[in-house]
Amino acid sequence: MGLLGSPAAVASPPAATSGLAAPSQPCEALTGLSLPGLPPSGTAAVTARQVAGSGCQVSISITDTSDPRGGQPGRIGIALTLPDRWNRKYMAEGGGVYCGPANFVTLAADRWLAAGYAISQDDCGHTGSTNMFTSPWVTNPSPPPALNWNRINDFGYLAHHQMATQSKFVIDQYYGAGARHSYWNGCSTGGRQGMSEAQNYPRDFDGILAGAPALNWNQFIVAQLWPQLVMKWNDDYLPTCKKDLVNTALKAHCRDQNGQIDGVFDPRNCDVLGVLHRLVGTATPCGTFSATDALVIQAIWQGPRRSGSQNDMLHGKPVWFGLEPGASMDGAGYSPATGPGGGLGLATTRQLADGRWTGAPFVPTADWFQNWLKQNPDWNYTDESYQQYWQDFATSGRQYDYALSAANPDLRAFKAAGGKLIMWHGLADQLIFTGDSINYYNRALAANGGIRNTESFFRYFLAPGVDHCGAPGPRSIAPTDPMQQVIDWVEHGAAPAVLNASGTINGKSVDRPLCPYPGPDAAYTGGDPNKAGSYTCSKRSQFTNPFLLNGQHG
């Protein structure tokens, strides 16, 4: 799924459900439908049309002026696709980054619509914004206020709740019956949205899949600037070949679960610092790998630490998490047309015409500083001082946690409503720090009565070697069909003992079980290392401190 965080369609369509329902009225009769439960003072418009190869496409537009702090109104756009033969189930599909337009789906492109699900997407409350990597919609062109608070609320929590509420109402009107089951399917921003629903509106969905969730948005997006600042403050913008040297060395040293060296590994089980420091003095096409290079990369891996001095980035209080060793530091590279900073990775760098290297901050992060924190389109990351960074870190949470945070670990209301939740995260995520979801689940275990009680409705899985919202592929042994496992849990009580994963290694198809955390990775017990049956999960708990790298001790 890469940067976009849209639901993947990597498995065969589920078998058709018997007893498919037909509409009880023409599609076009939904036009002008009056909607209940709108935001205070909100208005809505509904239009519908029948489209071959898709079904009844219902466009819902909601104007939100409910926040007394004002600014421009939110405009929530919802695209609801209703199949001609309905399996009596509803699925909402989450967004990516700041969210782009809401799209209708087709039978050919969406496996869940083809199986009879009613499908909806929303645009997070800023209809008309086409670039999901930037958020010009948050600032008010006619202040005061400087910010559009309705749109902040919509992006944070209200748009996806309205999507659930209004989609289910329209479904009921169209088919003459309500959905038997409702599901959320999202990754990245979509993962955050799903977790927000479980925490704030626990009855909206029966089953939720939350991949690589952006749980603590207001903290991680500030922490995403740390790699660029570390390079700036050390005057050491890492050339691409030095970053590649490190990740290549890790893949050549760190072993897979079966003991082999094949490029797939769990950084928690490898002496990553030993590998890093042994590279000092290595010659590369872009210069000798230096002690400063190693320091910069270790600081990127560790994440923001507040020592009180810009000259000491490796010690002090851990403030947030860092990139997992082995995750791509360049991401998708440099794309200046995408937005401010131009970077599509957290430690992206680019070479200037004179041969020097400079930084390229991740576009959504540079946008966050410009629009949300500074309201200054001329802000540049090179303006950020050490002390100002910590002030901005605090401001980001203080100002926006109420709307964007999805970090409440207490999910007892979701459990009481009968909800089931699978959260998963790749251990080579190059954009959203895996340590955040590890930390969240550690807290959730304590808040929901321990491992047994929590696992009765909420399970978490880690995927070695898998990048952001990664799908099965070369050296990516990623969840094969996690949404179906959520559905099976809800409808058949089949709690996932493992999350089924697949991909290829050295050109060979591989099936693996991903074991539920806090258990360790699946252990190889003999037989064909490419078959899931050759691995077993342990009931022994092995908790991870996400602030520490392998070989460090608290």
Side-chain angles (χ1 to χ4, degrees), residues 342-364:
L344 297 179
L346 303 191
T348 304
T349 52
R350 62 188 180 92
Q351 194 168 22
L352 301 173
D354 61 6
R356 293 179 299 120
W357 287 79
T358 190
F362 186 43
V363 171

Side-chain angles (χ1 to χ4, degrees), residues 468-530:
H468 186 58
C469 296
R475 290 184 177 175
S476 178
I477 314 304
T480 305
D481 197 358
M483 190 68 242
Q484 187 61 51
Q485 291 194 254
V486 172
I487 294 167
D488 291 342
W489 195 2
V490 169
E491 298 181 20
H492 308 296
V498 301
L499 201 61
N500 301 319
S502 59
T504 60
I505 295 178
N506 297 326
K508 294 183 178 179
S509 296
V510 173
D511 296 311
R512 292 269 176 88
L514 301 178
C515 301
Y517 178 90
D521 294 332
Y524 175 66
T525 54
D528 185 344
N530 297 327

Side-chain angles (χ1 to χ4, degrees), residues 39-40 64 66-69 76 99 122 124-126 137 149-165 184 189 192-201 204-205 217 372 399-406:
D64 172 25
S66 59
D67 196 306
R69 290 172 292 181
I76 303 170
C99 298
D122 74 85
C124 298
H126 38 271
W137 44 264
W149 292 101
N150 297 293
R151 297 177 183 182
I152 291 170
N153 299 340
D154 294 341
F155 174 63
Y157 63 93
L158 192 54
H160 33 287
H161 172 57
Q162 280 291 312
M163 173 171 64
T165 300
W184 181 274
T189 288
R192 177 187 68 81
Q193 293 167 330
M195 297 303 294
S196 173
E197 282 289 292
Q199 294 162 27
N200 298 314
Y201 304 100
D204 275 359
F205 294 98
W217 179 285
W372 297 69
Q399 192 152 331
Y400 300 113
D401 272 354
Y402 84 93
L404 274 65
S405 175

Side-chain angles (χ1 to χ4, degrees), residues 428-500:
D429 194 316
Q430 75 278 25
L431 299 178
I432 295 179
F433 308 108
T434 310
D436 190 10
S437 62
I438 294 174
N439 185 59
Y440 176 81
Y441 198 72
N442 287 343
R443 294 169 57 231
L445 291 173
N448 296 284
I451 295 174
R452 184 174 180 179
N453 286 333
T454 305
E455 287 191 338
S456 69
F457 74 99
F458 177 21
R459 299 193 181 190
Y460 172 53
F461 301 86
L462 289 163
V466 177
D467 64 9
H468 186 58
C469 296
R475 290 184 177 175
S476 178
I477 314 304
T480 305
D481 197 358
M483 190 68 242
Q484 187 61 51
Q485 291 194 254
V486 172
I487 294 167
D488 291 342
W489 195 2
V490 169
E491 298 181 20
H492 308 296
V498 301
L499 201 61
N500 301 319

